[in-house]
Amino acid sequence: MTGKRNPWKIVLRIIIGIFFVYGLAVAVGVSVGYFVAKDHTAQQVTSILVPQQQVTAPETHVEPASAPHMETPQTPSEHAAPITPPLTTPTEPQPAPILADKPSKGWKENAIILPPYAYRDKKLIAIIFDDAGVNANRTKEIIDVKSPLTISFLPYAPNLQRQANAARAAGHEVMAHVPMEAEDVDAHPGPNALMTDMTDEEILANLHENLDKWDSYIGINNHMGSFFTADAHRMGVVLEEIKKRDLIFVDSMTSAKSVAGKKAQEMGMLSGARDVFLDDVDNSEKIKEEFKKLEKAARKQGTAIAIGHPRPNTISALKEWLVAIENSEYMVVPLSVVLLERQKAAEEKHN
């Protein structure tokens, strides 16, 4: 005989069965989801590590564009140093450019004046270093020389005003090395050069470009210019402007045909011309011979003007020569001192 079933027990068993089935379903779902997700992740990793086969044309390797570089004038045949860009790289931070508030007005503004007693009984020598500024490291070597030199900067040199300020602060006089047309058609003087096929207005416009963006200079001398300095009319256009600004002119004498120095004298300007070219041949022994010629010229005339370039051989010979002439009859002085002494001697001779 069986007893009567308890309804509450039946309900309880049903509830437990429902929870069991639900729990089993959840467990199965989680397991399936885990394995699906794992397989999808594996596919992603595989696609990253093992690229799919490309159906496009094979990739062509393209070299990156080279960094911009400074175009350098070709080495001319007439007394010009090889132009070397500054020893910097495009990734190095560059200082902000400095521009002049106004162009130099008058050579006395930036000349280094020495009292006559400082060089009494001495044979005076001025040494101009052309082509300065383009190679900043070599220019600094010249600036660091203790004797008062005259440093002539190419107007298209980078950081022009900054370098000119450094030269002035070190006790050197500064000039503008203005590019002019050469006889050799393959010799390129550089940007804003003065050319014989220009009108007077174009010549003046280029001259202003060379002079108006900086200051500190006492005057100009010609960079190249063997063809331009032989043209009396066009040199007259240039010299009229230089005279108006009360600046000095020095004829680099890149050609025996030059009329520039003579015309400057006729116009009553403070001016001069090179006597000795130190490194026409870039050879240490030859340069030392030129220093001997410089001494001879100074002994004969009382003053002498030399031109050189910031090349290793020239810089080395200069330093050696400066030591050799210590306590001698020779004295290196700023260019303006030599020109004033020459002007004074000419006036005394005329009177």
Side-chain angles (χ1 to χ4, degrees), residues 6 69 101 130 137 172 190 206 230 242 263 301 325 327 331:
N6 189 336
H69 64 280
D101 295 330
D130 282 352
N137 290 353
H172 306 297
N206 275 16
I242 298 305
K263 194 165 187 66
Q301 302 169 174
I325 66 165
N327 304 315
M331 181 176 179

Side-chain angles (χ1 to χ4, degrees), residues 123 275 295-305 342 345:
K123 308 299 182 184
D275 297 300
E295 293 177 15
K296 184 177 179 179
R299 190 182 307 116
K300 180 180 178 180
Q301 302 169 174
T303 63
I305 299 173
R342 288 185 174 184

Side-chain angles (χ1 to χ4, degrees), residues 190-256:
N192 300 314
L194 311 184
M195 310 294 285
T196 56
D197 62 356
M198 291 179 172
T199 64
D200 294 357
E201 291 74 20
E202 289 171 333
I203 289 171
L204 288 175
N206 275 16
L207 184 60
H208 293 167
E209 283 292 322
N210 285 308
L211 298 180
D212 290 351
K213 62 186 175 183
W214 63 304
D215 59 21
S216 302
Y217 49 83
I218 61 171
I220 78 167
N221 71 328
N222 53 291
H223 170 55
M224 301 193 194
S226 56
F227 197 65
F228 192 91
T229 57
D231 190 311
H233 170 74
R234 287 168 177 77
M235 273 310 308
V237 173
V238 173
L239 293 173
E240 285 289 350
E241 179 67 14
I242 298 305
K243 182 178 181 180
K244 185 192 303 183
R245 298 186 183 214
D246 192 26
L247 296 172
I248 288 169
F249 174 76
V250 172
D251 190 348
S252 301
M253 292 300 295
T254 54
S255 170

Side-chain angles (χ1 to χ4, degrees), residues 57-108:
E59 181 181 359
T60 302
H61 179 68
V62 179
E63 291 290 341
S66 58
H69 64 280
M70 182 184 302
E71 182 179 359
T72 57
Q74 294 181 12
T75 304
S77 59
E78 50 173 298
H79 307 319
I83 306 286
T84 307
L87 303 181
T88 58
T89 62
T91 57
E92 292 177 347
Q94 298 297 310
I98 298 175
L99 299 178
D101 295 330
K102 56 182 178 59
S104 291
K105 298 293 184 182
W107 65 270
K108 297 183 185 70

Side-chain angles (χ1 to χ4, degrees), residues 30 90-91 184 219 226 242 314 330:
V30 170
T91 57
D184 183 355
S226 56
I242 298 305
T314 311
Y330 303 105

